[in-house]
Amino acid sequence: MPANFKLDLTHRPRRLRRTASLRALTEETVLRPANFIAPLFVVEGKSRPEEIKSMPGVFRLNIADLVKECQELAKLGVPAVALFPKLDSKLKDDDGTAALNEDGLILRAVRAVKKGVPELTVMTDVALDPYTTHGHDGVLNAARDDVENDRTVGILMKMAVLHARAGVDLVAPSDMMDGRVGAIRKALDAADFTGTGIMAYSAKFASAYYGPFRDAVGSASAAGTNLLSKATYQLNPANRRTALIEAALDAGEGADIIMVKPAGPYLDIIREVRQATRQPIAAYQVSGEYAQLHAAARLGWLDLPRTRHESLLAIKRAGADMILTYFAKEMAAELGK
Ligand code: PBG
């Protein structure tokens, strides 16, 4: 090959990647603090923040510390938080009755955050797993080999109304029972909470990436494993069409926001749901996705700030309008600079 070899090319796409300013001009996807929802774990009492072993940098917070954390998030431009309670195991039972305790931890946490940081959007999970001794998201049938769909939905309706009364902006049914979105919508409306929205965990897969979260809320220790199978209600990771059916049902039943979860390993699903629905789409970068990046970074095998950014950019590029991520605070801080 001669040293002055030239291709006769009309198209040289690298022209637009030549300088930083050209790359900035042609950038298609941009992350901003307002894209993020911070999941936060709350505990009873006055104890100092306890770090979750499998989620470095994520803590279980008492209510006072939770409010402080929410203030910091709001200051950084993060518009929303999703709250999860970790209950004392003594309060758990087979039917998750503590979920309907009118002075329960999550309700006090919601009221405190709403009072301390009124501008912040607050959402809560509607599912029974933090409250049950078996760790399932619903109550069990007599044979104890499956959740009882309709009886569970009856409980979730009451739970959603309690959360609405405490002041949440959005309830987030994460249980995957059939018909729960419509039932919760009716229950909220009947109780005059027509303004309380529903973020539906619509395409929630039976994923092994939830392990660290189950440690965080204690549903793993209740169940004796963080790999409890929820395959009769969460979606089969092998399926795409099922996700579209679920998203369409939830939208029809009145879901305001449709969620896909996990996010990173399910970018194809985010894209397909984006094309199939008009609703805003949330994607949940789950605990295992977070843990994975931290573990590799600890080994010195991946660069955390760069993989963190890239993982979230990919989720947004796939079609998510908003992302639940344990990186919310540090990302907002980084983007605000
Ligand atoms: C429970 C719930 C789970 C998550 C959010 N809500 C776990 C599960 O379904 O077992 C997972 C979140 C995460 O892994 O970060 N209904």
Side-chain angles (χ1 to χ4, degrees):
M1 205 66 68
N4 62 352
F5 176 72
K6 283 270 184 250
L7 293 171
D8 179 19
L9 285 184
T10 305
H11 297 285
R12 289 187 182 267
R14 288 188 54 221
R15 276 182 205 121
L16 294 181
R17 301 199 288 272
R18 200 170 49 82
T19 65
S21 50
L22 283 166
R23 289 194 294 275
L25 275 173
T26 54
E27 187 156 283
E28 298 175 32
T29 309
V30 183
L31 290 168
R32 52 195 182 97
N35 296 138
F36 302 120
I37 299 165
L40 298 172
F41 300 104
V42 59
V43 285
E44 206 67 78
K46 294 202 159 48
S47 53
R48 294 176 47 76
E50 351 164 50
E51 190 165 20
I52 296 142
K53 243 204 230 119
S54 47
M55 302 177 74
V58 178
F59 297 83
R60 299 187 192 99
L61 304 171
N62 66 41
I63 291 182
D65 289 334
L66 174 75
V67 174
K68 275 187 223 144
E69 181 69 10
C70 288
Q71 276 157 348
E72 290 173 23
L73 284 161
K75 226 177 253 156
L76 288 166
V78 175
V81 294
L83 304 183
F84 298 94
K86 160 139 191 325
L87 242 64
D88 193 306
S89 58
K90 288 195 295 285
L91 294 176
K92 301 189 185 192
D93 61 22
D94 235 32
D95 278 0
T97 40
L100 300 183
N101 175 355
E102 300 209 359
D103 198 36
L105 170 63
I106 192 69
L107 303 179
R108 278 177 282 123
V110 168
R111 283 188 228 116
V113 172
K114 269 294 168 193
K115 184 158 175 243
V117 204
E119 70 274 24
L120 199 65
T121 290
V122 176
M123 62 188 79
T124 48
D125 246 38
V126 176
L128 296 181
D129 54 303
Y131 304 97
T132 54
T133 34
H134 42 74
H136 279 291
D137 292 28
V139 292
L140 300 181
N141 62 10
R144 302 183 65 83
D145 61 358
D146 198 359
V147 290
E148 239 179 330
N149 191 92
D150 299 12
R151 193 156 70 90
T152 298
V153 172
I155 298 168
L156 299 181
M157 291 163 70
K158 293 187 187 145
M159 192 177 173
V161 171
L162 286 176
H163 290 202
R165 195 170 294 142
V168 295
D169 301 281
L170 297 163
V171 291
S174 67
D175 56 294
M176 293 302 286
M177 299 301 124
D178 290 337
R180 91 279 204 216
V181 171
I184 288 172
R185 183 69 270 154
K186 279 208 186 94
L188 289 173
D189 291 350
D192 268 347
F193 293 111
T194 51
T196 306
I198 300 177
M199 172 185 280
Y201 285 71
S202 301
K204 177 175 181 180
F205 289 86
S207 170
Y209 285 89
Y210 305 149
F213 173 97
R214 293 181 185 178
D215 292 332
V217 298
S219 62
S221 58
T225 170
N226 68 16
L227 287 172
L228 178 70
S229 172
K230 300 188 177 181
T232 72
Y233 43 108
Q234 298 178 349
L235 307 186
N236 181 347
N239 290 0
R240 287 165 45 218
R241 295 193 310 264
T242 321
L244 295 174
I245 292 172
E246 292 278 1
L249 281 171
D250 285 359
E253 289 175 32
D256 299 283
I257 300 169
I258 302 291
M259 193 202 294
V260 176
K261 173 184 176 189
Y266 293 84
L267 295 180
D268 57 327
I269 307 292
I270 296 174
R271 167 63 27 171
E272 291 217 32
V273 173
R274 171 68 294 154
Q275 280 159 355
T277 175
R278 301 265 159 96
Q279 260 74 14
I281 293 179
Y284 198 146
Q285 184 183 51
V286 300
S287 56
E289 300 177 69
Y290 177 87
Q292 220 175 11
L293 293 187
H294 267 283
R298 277 195 178 184
L299 287 165
W301 293 353
L302 286 178
D303 180 73
L304 186 63
R306 292 188 54 191
T307 50
R308 176 176 75 198
H309 190 278
E310 188 176 330
S311 67
L312 292 162
L313 194 63
I315 294 165
K316 187 166 180 194
R317 192 192 62 230
D321 300 290
M322 60 196 96
I323 307 172
L324 293 97
T325 173
Y326 302 97
F327 291 125
K329 190 179 186 185
E330 52 204 277
M331 278 301 298
E334 181 191 308
L335 294 168
K337 272 186 211 141

